[in-house]
Coordinates of all heavy atoms in Angstrom, one line a residue:
M1 N 0.8 -1.2 0.0 CA 0.0 0.0 0.0 C 0.9 1.2 0.0 O 1.9 1.3 0.7 CB -0.9 0.0 1.2 CG -1.9 1.1 1.3 SD -3.3 1.0 2.3 CE -2.7 0.9 3.9
A2 N 0.5 2.2 -0.7 CA 1.3 3.5 -0.8 C 1.2 4.2 0.5 O 0.1 4.3 1.1 CB 0.7 4.3 -1.9
T3 N 2.3 4.8 1.0 CA 2.3 5.5 2.2 C 2.2 7.0 2.0 O 1.7 7.8 2.8 CB 3.6 5.2 3.0 OG1 4.7 5.5 2.2 CG2 3.6 3.8 3.5
Q4 N 2.7 7.5 0.8 CA 2.7 8.9 0.5 C 1.3 9.2 -0.2 O 0.9 8.4 -1.0 CB 3.8 9.2 -0.5 CG 3.9 10.6 -1.0 CD 4.3 11.6 0.0 OE1 5.1 11.3 0.9 NE2 3.7 12.8 0.0
S5 N 0.7 10.3 0.1 CA -0.5 10.7 -0.6 C -0.2 11.8 -1.6 O 0.5 12.7 -1.3 CB -1.5 11.2 0.5 OG -2.7 11.5 -0.1
Y6 N -0.7 11.5 -2.8 CA -0.5 12.4 -3.9 C -1.8 12.9 -4.5 O -2.8 12.3 -4.3 CB 0.2 11.7 -5.1 CG 1.6 11.3 -4.8 CD1 1.9 10.0 -4.4 CD2 2.7 12.2 -4.9 CE1 3.2 9.6 -4.2 CE2 4.0 11.8 -4.6 CZ 4.2 10.5 -4.2 OH 5.5 10.1 -4.0
D7 N -1.8 14.1 -5.2 CA -2.9 14.4 -6.0 C -2.5 14.0 -7.4 O -1.4 13.6 -7.7 CB -3.2 15.9 -5.9 CG -2.0 16.8 -6.3 OD1 -1.1 16.4 -7.0 OD2 -2.1 18.0 -6.0
T8 N -3.4 14.1 -8.4 CA -3.1 13.6 -9.7 C -1.9 14.4 -10.4 O -1.1 13.7 -11.1 CB -4.3 13.7 -10.7 OG1 -4.8 15.0 -10.7 CG2 -5.4 12.8 -10.2
A9 N -1.8 15.7 -10.2 CA -0.7 16.4 -10.7 C 0.6 15.9 -10.2 O 1.6 15.8 -10.9 CB -0.9 17.9 -10.5
S10 N 0.7 15.7 -8.9 CA 1.9 15.2 -8.3 C 2.3 13.8 -8.8 O 3.5 13.5 -9.0 CB 1.8 15.1 -6.7 OG 1.6 16.4 -6.2
A11 N 1.3 12.9 -8.9 CA 1.5 11.6 -9.5 C 2.1 11.7 -10.9 O 3.0 11.0 -11.2 CB 0.2 10.8 -9.4
K12 N 1.5 12.5 -11.7 CA 2.0 12.7 -13.1 C 3.4 13.2 -13.1 O 4.2 12.8 -13.9 CB 1.1 13.7 -13.9 CG -0.3 13.1 -14.2 CD -1.1 14.2 -14.9 CE -2.5 13.9 -15.1 NZ -3.3 14.9 -15.7
A13 N 3.7 14.2 -12.2 CA 5.1 14.7 -12.1 C 6.1 13.7 -11.7 O 7.2 13.6 -12.2 CB 5.1 15.9 -11.1
L14 N 5.7 12.8 -10.8 CA 6.5 11.7 -10.4 C 6.9 10.8 -11.6 O 8.1 10.4 -11.7 CB 5.9 10.9 -9.3 CG 6.7 9.8 -8.6 CD1 8.0 10.5 -8.0 CD2 6.0 9.1 -7.5
F15 N 5.9 10.5 -12.4 CA 6.2 9.7 -13.6 C 7.3 10.5 -14.5 O 8.2 9.9 -15.0 CB 5.0 9.4 -14.5 CG 4.1 8.3 -13.9 CD1 2.9 8.6 -13.3 CD2 4.6 7.0 -13.9 CE1 2.2 7.5 -12.8 CE2 3.8 6.0 -13.4 CZ 2.6 6.2 -12.8
E16 N 7.0 11.8 -14.6 CA 7.9 12.6 -15.5 C 9.4 12.6 -15.0 O 10.3 12.4 -15.7 CB 7.4 14.0 -15.6 CG 8.2 14.8 -16.6 CD 7.5 16.2 -16.8 OE1 6.3 16.3 -16.8 OE2 8.3 17.2 -17.0
I17 N 9.5 12.9 -13.7 CA 10.9 13.0 -13.1 C 11.6 11.6 -13.0 O 12.8 11.6 -13.0 CB 10.9 13.7 -11.8 CG1 10.2 12.9 -10.7 CG2 10.4 15.1 -11.9 CD1 10.3 13.5 -9.3
S18 N 10.8 10.5 -12.9 CA 11.4 9.2 -12.8 C 11.8 8.6 -14.2 O 12.5 7.7 -14.3 CB 10.5 8.2 -12.1 OG 9.4 7.9 -13.0
G19 N 11.2 9.2 -15.3 CA 11.5 8.7 -16.6 C 10.7 7.5 -16.9 O 11.0 6.8 -17.9
T20 N 9.7 7.2 -16.1 CA 8.9 6.0 -16.3 C 7.6 6.4 -17.0 O 7.0 7.4 -16.5 CB 8.6 5.3 -15.0 OG1 9.8 5.0 -14.3 CG2 7.7 4.0 -15.2
S21 N 7.2 5.7 -18.0 CA 5.9 6.0 -18.7 C 4.8 5.4 -17.9 O 4.9 4.4 -17.2 CB 5.9 5.5 -20.1 OG 5.7 4.1 -20.1
V22 N 3.6 6.1 -18.0 CA 2.4 5.6 -17.3 C 2.1 4.2 -17.9 O 1.7 3.3 -17.1 CB 1.2 6.6 -17.5 CG1 -0.1 6.0 -17.0 CG2 1.5 7.9 -16.9
A23 N 2.2 4.0 -19.2 CA 1.9 2.7 -19.8 C 2.8 1.6 -19.2 O 2.3 0.5 -18.9 CB 2.1 2.8 -21.3
E24 N 4.1 1.9 -19.1 CA 5.0 0.9 -18.5 C 4.6 0.5 -17.1 O 4.6 -0.6 -16.7 CB 6.5 1.4 -18.5 CG 7.5 0.4 -18.0 CD 8.9 1.0 -17.9 OE1 9.1 2.2 -18.2 OE2 9.8 0.2 -17.5
W25 N 4.4 1.6 -16.3 CA 4.0 1.3 -14.9 C 2.7 0.5 -14.8 O 2.6 -0.5 -14.1 CB 3.7 2.7 -14.2 CG 3.4 2.5 -12.7 CD1 4.2 2.4 -11.7 CD2 2.0 2.5 -12.2 NE1 3.5 2.3 -10.5 CE2 2.1 2.4 -10.8 CE3 0.8 2.6 -12.8 CZ2 1.0 2.3 -10.0 CZ3 -0.3 2.5 -11.9 CH2 -0.2 2.4 -10.6
A26 N 1.7 0.8 -15.7 CA 0.4 0.1 -15.7 C 0.7 -1.4 -16.1 O 0.1 -2.3 -15.4 CB -0.5 0.8 -16.7
R27 N 1.5 -1.6 -17.1 CA 1.7 -3.0 -17.5 C 2.4 -3.8 -16.4 O 2.1 -4.9 -16.2 CB 2.6 -3.0 -18.8 CG 1.7 -2.7 -20.0 CD 2.5 -3.0 -21.3 NE 3.7 -2.1 -21.5 CZ 3.7 -0.9 -22.0 NH1 2.6 -0.4 -22.5 NH2 4.8 -0.2 -22.1
V28 N 3.4 -3.2 -15.8 CA 4.1 -3.9 -14.7 C 3.2 -4.2 -13.6 O 3.3 -5.3 -13.0 CB 5.3 -3.0 -14.2 CG1 5.9 -3.6 -12.9 CG2 6.4 -2.9 -15.3
K29 N 2.3 -3.3 -13.2 CA 1.3 -3.5 -12.1 C 0.2 -4.4 -12.5 O -0.6 -4.7 -11.7 CB 0.8 -2.1 -11.6 CG 1.9 -1.3 -10.9 CD 2.2 -2.0 -9.6 CE 2.9 -1.0 -8.7 NZ 3.1 -1.6 -7.4
G30 N 0.0 -4.6 -13.8 CA -1.1 -5.5 -14.3 C -2.4 -4.7 -14.4 O -3.5 -5.3 -14.4
F31 N -2.3 -3.4 -14.6 CA -3.5 -2.5 -14.8 C -3.7 -2.2 -16.3 O -2.8 -2.2 -17.1 CB -3.4 -1.2 -14.0 CG -3.3 -1.4 -12.5 CD1 -2.3 -0.7 -11.8 CD2 -4.2 -2.2 -11.8 CE1 -2.2 -0.8 -10.4 CE2 -4.1 -2.3 -10.4 CZ -3.1 -1.6 -9.7
S32 N -5.0 -1.9 -16.6 CA -5.3 -1.4 -17.9 C -4.7 0.0 -18.1 O -4.8 0.9 -17.3 CB -6.8 -1.3 -18.0 OG -7.2 -0.4 -19.1
V33 N -3.9 0.1 -19.2 CA -3.2 1.4 -19.4 C -4.2 2.5 -19.6 O -4.1 3.6 -19.0 CB -2.3 1.3 -20.7 CG1 -1.8 2.7 -21.1 CG2 -1.2 0.3 -20.5
G34 N -5.3 2.3 -20.3 CA -6.3 3.3 -20.5 C -7.0 3.7 -19.2 O -7.3 4.9 -19.0
L35 N -7.2 2.8 -18.4 CA -7.9 3.1 -17.1 C -6.9 3.9 -16.2 O -7.4 4.8 -15.5 CB -8.3 1.8 -16.4 CG -9.2 1.9 -15.2 CD1 -10.5 2.7 -15.6 CD2 -9.6 0.5 -14.7
V36 N -5.7 3.6 -16.2 CA -4.7 4.4 -15.4 C -4.7 5.8 -15.9 O -4.8 6.8 -15.1 CB -3.3 3.8 -15.5 CG1 -2.3 4.8 -14.8 CG2 -3.2 2.4 -14.8
Y37 N -4.7 6.0 -17.2 CA -4.8 7.4 -17.7 C -6.1 8.1 -17.3 O -6.1 9.3 -16.9 CB -4.7 7.4 -19.2 CG -3.3 7.4 -19.7 CD1 -2.7 6.3 -20.3 CD2 -2.4 8.5 -19.5 CE1 -1.4 6.3 -20.8 CE2 -1.1 8.5 -20.0 CZ -0.6 7.4 -20.6 OH 0.7 7.3 -21.0
Q38 N -7.2 7.4 -17.3 CA -8.5 7.9 -16.9 C -8.5 8.3 -15.4 O -9.0 9.4 -15.0 CB -9.6 6.9 -17.1 CG -10.0 6.8 -18.6 CD -11.0 5.7 -18.8 OE1 -11.6 5.2 -17.9 NE2 -11.3 5.4 -20.1
V39 N -7.9 7.5 -14.6 CA -7.7 7.8 -13.2 C -6.9 9.1 -13.0 O -7.2 10.0 -12.2 CB -7.1 6.6 -12.4 CG1 -6.7 7.0 -10.9 CG2 -8.1 5.5 -12.3
L40 N -5.8 9.1 -13.7 CA -4.9 10.3 -13.6 C -5.5 11.6 -14.1 O -5.2 12.7 -13.7 CB -3.6 10.0 -14.3 CG -2.6 9.1 -13.6 CD1 -1.4 8.7 -14.6 CD2 -2.0 9.8 -12.4
E41 N -6.5 11.4 -15.0 CA -7.1 12.6 -15.6 C -8.4 13.0 -14.8 O -9.1 13.9 -15.1 CB -7.5 12.3 -17.1 CG -6.3 12.3 -18.0 CD -6.6 11.7 -19.3 OE1 -7.8 11.4 -19.6 OE2 -5.7 11.5 -20.1
G42 N -8.7 12.2 -13.7 CA -9.8 12.5 -12.9 C -11.2 12.1 -13.5 O -12.2 12.6 -13.1
K43 N -11.1 11.2 -14.5 CA -12.4 10.8 -15.1 C -13.0 9.6 -14.5 O -14.1 9.2 -14.9 CB -12.1 10.5 -16.6 CG -11.6 11.7 -17.4 CD -11.4 11.4 -18.8 CE -11.0 12.6 -19.6 NZ -10.7 12.3 -21.0
R44 N -12.5 9.1 -13.4 CA -13.0 8.0 -12.7 C -13.2 8.3 -11.2 O -12.4 9.0 -10.7 CB -12.1 6.7 -12.8 CG -12.0 6.1 -14.2 CD -13.4 5.5 -14.5 NE -13.3 4.9 -15.8 CZ -13.9 3.8 -16.1 NH1 -14.6 3.1 -15.2 NH2 -13.8 3.3 -17.3
K45 N -14.2 7.8 -10.6 CA -14.5 8.1 -9.2 C -13.6 7.2 -8.3 O -13.4 7.5 -7.1 CB -15.9 7.8 -8.8 CG -16.9 8.8 -9.4 CD -18.3 8.6 -8.9 CE -19.3 9.6 -9.5 NZ -20.6 9.3 -9.1
C46 N -13.1 6.1 -8.8 CA -12.2 5.2 -8.1 C -12.9 4.6 -6.8 O -12.2 4.5 -5.7 CB -10.9 5.9 -7.7 SG -10.1 6.5 -9.2
M47 N -14.1 4.3 -6.9 CA -14.9 3.8 -5.7 C -14.7 2.3 -5.6 O -14.8 1.8 -4.4 CB -16.4 4.1 -5.9 CG -16.6 5.6 -5.9 SD -16.2 6.4 -4.3 CE -17.4 5.7 -3.2
R48 N -14.5 1.5 -6.7 CA -14.4 0.1 -6.6 C -13.7 -0.4 -7.8 O -13.4 0.3 -8.7 CB -15.8 -0.5 -6.5 CG -16.7 -0.3 -7.7 CD -18.1 -0.7 -7.5 NE -18.9 0.0 -6.5 CZ -19.4 1.2 -6.7 NH1 -19.3 1.8 -7.9 NH2 -20.0 1.8 -5.7
G49 N -13.4 -1.7 -7.7 CA -12.8 -2.4 -8.9 C -11.3 -1.9 -9.2 O -10.6 -1.4 -8.3
Q50 N -10.9 -2.0 -10.4 CA -9.6 -1.7 -10.8 C -9.2 -0.3 -10.6 O -8.1 0.1 -10.3 CB -9.3 -2.2 -12.2 CG -7.8 -2.3 -12.5 CD -7.5 -2.9 -13.8 OE1 -7.5 -2.2 -14.8 NE2 -7.1 -4.2 -13.8
S51 N -10.2 0.6 -10.9 CA -9.9 2.1 -10.7 C -9.6 2.4 -9.2 O -8.7 3.2 -8.9 CB -11.0 3.0 -11.2 OG -12.2 2.7 -10.5
H52 N -10.3 1.7 -8.3 CA -10.0 1.8 -6.9 C -8.6 1.3 -6.6 O -7.8 2.0 -5.9 CB -11.0 1.1 -6.1 CG -10.7 0.9 -4.6 ND1 -10.9 1.9 -3.7 CD2 -10.2 -0.1 -3.9 CE1 -10.6 1.5 -2.5 NE2 -10.1 0.3 -2.6
Q53 N -8.2 0.2 -7.1 CA -6.9 -0.4 -6.9 C -5.8 0.5 -7.5 O -4.7 0.7 -6.9 CB -6.8 -1.8 -7.6 CG -7.7 -2.8 -6.9 CD -7.9 -4.1 -7.7 OE1 -7.3 -4.2 -8.8 NE2 -8.6 -5.0 -7.2
I54 N -6.1 1.1 -8.7 CA -5.1 2.0 -9.3 C -4.9 3.2 -8.4 O -3.7 3.7 -8.2 CB -5.6 2.4 -10.7 CG1 -5.5 1.2 -11.7 CG2 -4.8 3.6 -11.3 CD1 -6.3 1.4 -13.0
A55 N -6.0 3.8 -7.9 CA -5.8 5.0 -7.1 C -5.0 4.8 -5.9 O -4.2 5.6 -5.5 CB -7.2 5.6 -6.7
I56 N -5.2 3.6 -5.3 CA -4.4 3.2 -4.1 C -3.0 3.0 -4.5 O -2.1 3.6 -3.8 CB -5.0 2.0 -3.4 CG1 -6.3 2.3 -2.8 CG2 -4.0 1.4 -2.3 CD1 -7.1 1.1 -2.3
A57 N -2.7 2.3 -5.6 CA -1.3 2.1 -6.0 C -0.6 3.4 -6.4 O 0.6 3.5 -6.2 CB -1.3 1.1 -7.2
L58 N -1.3 4.3 -6.9 CA -0.7 5.6 -7.2 C -0.6 6.6 -6.0 O 0.0 7.6 -6.1 CB -1.6 6.3 -8.3 CG -1.6 5.8 -9.7 CD1 -2.7 6.4 -10.5 CD2 -0.2 6.0 -10.3
G59 N -1.2 6.2 -4.9 CA -1.1 7.0 -3.7 C -2.1 8.2 -3.8 O -2.0 9.1 -3.0
L60 N -3.1 8.0 -4.6 CA -4.2 9.1 -4.7 C -5.2 9.0 -3.6 O -5.9 9.9 -3.4 CB -4.9 9.0 -6.1 CG -3.9 9.2 -7.3 CD1 -4.7 9.0 -8.6 CD2 -3.3 10.5 -7.3
K61 N -5.4 7.8 -3.0 CA -6.3 7.6 -2.0 C -5.8 6.5 -1.0 O -5.0 5.7 -1.4 CB -7.7 7.3 -2.5 CG -7.8 5.9 -3.2 CD -9.2 5.6 -3.7 CE -10.2 5.2 -2.7 NZ -11.5 4.7 -3.3
R62 N -6.3 6.6 0.2 CA -6.0 5.5 1.1 C -7.1 4.5 1.1 O -8.2 4.7 0.7 CB -6.0 6.1 2.6 CG -4.9 7.1 2.8 CD -5.0 7.7 4.1 NE -4.1 8.8 4.2 CZ -3.2 9.0 5.1 NH1 -3.1 8.1 6.1 NH2 -2.4 10.0 5.1
G63 N -6.7 3.3 1.4 CA -7.7 2.2 1.3 C -6.9 0.9 1.2 O -5.7 0.8 1.3
E64 N -7.7 -0.2 1.1 CA -7.1 -1.5 1.0 C -7.7 -2.2 -0.3 O -8.8 -1.9 -0.7 CB -7.5 -2.4 2.2 CG -6.9 -2.0 3.5 CD -7.3 -2.9 4.6 OE1 -6.7 -4.0 4.6 OE2 -8.1 -2.6 5.4
C65 N -6.9 -3.0 -0.9 CA -7.3 -3.9 -2.0 C -7.5 -5.3 -1.4 O -6.5 -5.9 -1.1 CB -6.3 -3.8 -3.1 SG -6.2 -2.2 -3.8
L66 N -8.7 -5.7 -1.2 CA -9.0 -7.0 -0.6 C -9.6 -7.9 -1.6 O -10.5 -7.5 -2.3 CB -9.9 -6.8 0.6 CG -9.4 -6.0 1.8 CD1 -10.5 -5.8 2.8 CD2 -8.1 -6.6 2.4
A67 N -9.2 -9.2 -1.6 CA -9.9 -10.2 -2.4 C -11.3 -10.4 -1.8 O -11.5 -10.2 -0.6 CB -9.1 -11.5 -2.4
V68 N -12.2 -10.9 -2.6 CA -13.6 -11.2 -2.2 C -13.6 -12.2 -1.0 O -14.3 -12.0 0.0 CB -14.4 -11.7 -3.3 CG1 -15.8 -12.2 -2.9 CG2 -14.5 -10.7 -4.4
D69 N -12.7 -13.2 -1.0 CA -12.6 -14.1 0.1 C -12.2 -13.5 1.4 O -12.7 -13.8 2.5 CB -11.6 -15.2 -0.2 CG -12.1 -16.2 -1.4 OD1 -13.3 -16.1 -1.7 OD2 -11.3 -16.9 -1.9
E70 N -11.3 -12.5 1.3 CA -10.9 -11.8 2.5 C -12.0 -10.9 3.1 O -12.2 -10.8 4.3 CB -9.6 -10.9 2.3 CG -9.1 -10.1 3.4 CD -8.7 -10.9 4.7 OE1 -8.5 -12.1 4.6 OE2 -8.6 -10.3 5.7
I71 N -12.7 -10.3 2.2 CA -13.9 -9.5 2.6 C -14.9 -10.4 3.4 O -15.4 -10.0 4.4 CB -14.5 -8.7 1.4 CG1 -13.6 -7.7 0.9 CG2 -15.8 -8.1 1.9 CD1 -14.0 -7.2 -0.5
S72 N -15.2 -11.5 2.8 CA -16.2 -12.5 3.4 C -15.7 -12.9 4.7 O -16.4 -13.0 5.7 CB -16.4 -13.7 2.4 OG -16.9 -13.2 1.2
R73 N -14.4 -13.2 4.8 CA -13.8 -13.7 6.1 C -13.9 -12.6 7.2 O -14.4 -12.9 8.3 CB -12.3 -14.1 5.9 CG -11.7 -14.7 7.1 CD -10.2 -14.8 7.1 NE -9.5 -13.6 7.1 CZ -9.4 -12.8 8.2 NH1 -9.9 -13.1 9.3 NH2 -8.7 -11.6 8.1
R74 N -13.6 -11.4 6.8 CA -13.7 -10.3 7.8 C -15.2 -10.1 8.2 O -15.5 -9.8 9.4 CB -13.1 -9.0 7.2 CG -11.6 -9.1 7.2 CD -11.1 -7.7 6.8 NE -9.6 -7.8 6.5 CZ -8.9 -6.7 6.3 NH1 -9.4 -5.5 6.3 NH2 -7.6 -6.9 6.1
L75 N -16.1 -10.1 7.2 CA -17.5 -9.9 7.6 C -18.0 -11.0 8.5 O -18.7 -10.7 9.5 CB -18.4 -9.9 6.3 CG -18.2 -8.6 5.4 CD1 -18.9 -8.8 4.1 CD2 -18.7 -7.4 6.1
L76 N -17.6 -12.3 8.2 CA -18.1 -13.4 9.1 C -17.5 -13.3 10.5 O -18.1 -13.6 11.5 CB -17.7 -14.7 8.5 CG -18.5 -15.1 7.2 CD1 -17.9 -16.3 6.6 CD2 -20.0 -15.3 7.6
A77 N -16.2 -12.8 10.6 CA -15.6 -12.6 11.8 C -16.2 -11.6 12.7 O -16.2 -11.7 13.9 CB -14.1 -12.3 11.6
N78 N -16.8 -10.6 12.1 CA -17.5 -9.5 12.8 C -19.0 -9.7 13.0 O -19.6 -8.8 13.5 CB -17.2 -8.1 12.1 CG -15.8 -7.7 12.2 OD1 -15.1 -8.0 13.2 ND2 -15.2 -7.1 11.2
G79 N -19.5 -10.8 12.5 CA -20.9 -11.0 12.5 C -21.7 -10.4 11.4 O -21.1 -9.6 10.6
S80 N -22.9 -10.8 11.2 CA -23.7 -10.3 10.1 C -24.1 -8.9 10.3 O -24.3 -8.5 11.5 CB -24.9 -11.2 9.9 OG -24.5 -12.5 9.6
P81 N -24.3 -8.1 9.2 CA -24.8 -6.7 9.4 C -26.2 -6.7 10.1 O -27.0 -7.6 9.9 CB -24.9 -6.2 8.0 CG -24.0 -7.0 7.2 CD -24.0 -8.4 7.9
G82 N -26.3 -5.8 11.1 CA -27.6 -5.8 11.8 C -27.6 -6.7 13.0 O -28.5 -6.6 13.9
E83 N -26.6 -7.5 13.2 CA -26.5 -8.4 14.3 C -25.8 -7.7 15.5 O -24.8 -7.1 15.2 CB -25.7 -9.7 13.8 CG -25.8 -10.8 14.7 CD -25.0 -12.0 14.1 OE1 -25.5 -12.6 13.2 OE2 -23.9 -12.2 14.6
S84 N -26.3 -7.9 16.7 CA -25.6 -7.3 17.8 C -24.4 -8.1 18.2 O -24.4 -9.4 18.3 CB -26.5 -7.3 19.0 OG -27.6 -6.4 18.7
N85 N -23.3 -7.4 18.5 CA -22.0 -8.1 18.9 C -21.8 -8.0 20.4 O -22.0 -7.1 21.0 CB -20.8 -7.6 18.2 CG -20.8 -8.1 16.7 OD1 -21.5 -9.0 16.4 ND2 -19.9 -7.4 15.9

């Protein structure tokens, strides 16, 4: 998980000063190149799915990328919604 928080302009600048292309970074990380550009351009809300994962990987937002099985495990460990603990 990214520890530094960036805005889109700062993230773009980091690519520029590092000499790494957005496309190369996306491919190495296993992300859609087009979707990474959309996230960097602010065209995605990044609430779920791959755009959420991209925003976290870029340091644009805080959060976790959890597999469905891990979400289910955590929900079961905390009891069902509406259930008193």
